[in-house]
Amino acid sequence: LTKEKIGGESRDIERAEQIVNSDVFVNVHYHGIPVYIQEVNQNTAKIFPLDAINQVQEVDLEGLSETGPIILH
């Protein structure tokens, strides 16, 4: 899977919203750190690192990248 930036354009905001509403866990990173997107607001998203779920922060969509869904066996 290729690394794809999420932030930057309105279609990227739509993609971030699709990820939030997806039934599949999508592998997303914020500047290289695996994160979960809780909510999308205009050009920002509320996220938390997967290894620190209590550290919720609001970040620019520009720093988010998608590497594809997590496949569970």
Side-chain angles (χ1 to χ4, degrees), residues 13 18 28 46 54 70:
I13 294 168
Q18 289 173 352
V28 175
K46 284 189 180 177
N54 293 325
I70 301 269

Side-chain angles (χ1 to χ4, degrees), residues 69-73:
I70 301 269
I71 307 299
L72 302 174
H73 297 278

Side-chain angles (χ1 to χ4, degrees), residues 11 24 28-30 40 44-45 54 59 68:
R11 67 184 171 92
V24 177
V28 175
H29 288 80
Y30 180 68
V40 177
T44 63
N54 293 325
V59 299

Side-chain angles (χ1 to χ4, degrees), residues 2-68:
T2 56
K3 191 170 186 178
E4 188 176 322
K5 294 295 270 185
I6 293 174
E9 299 178 15
S10 63
R11 67 184 171 92
D12 297 323
I13 294 168
E14 290 175 22
R15 180 60 187 139
E17 289 172 345
Q18 289 173 352
I19 291 170
V20 169
N21 296 317
S22 177
D23 292 334
V24 177
F25 185 87
V26 178
N27 194 5
V28 175
H29 288 80
Y30 180 68
H31 294 292
I33 299 168
V35 297
Y36 179 82
I37 303 175
Q38 279 188 320
E39 182 180 316
V40 177
N41 302 307
Q42 302 234 339
N43 291 324
T44 63
K46 284 189 180 177
I47 64 165
F48 59 80
L50 295 182
D51 63 352
I53 62 172
N54 293 325
Q55 294 181 6
V56 177
Q57 52 191 306
E58 191 161 350
V59 299
D60 289 331
L61 291 178
E62 287 289 323
L64 296 172
S65 60
E66 174 185 358
T67 57

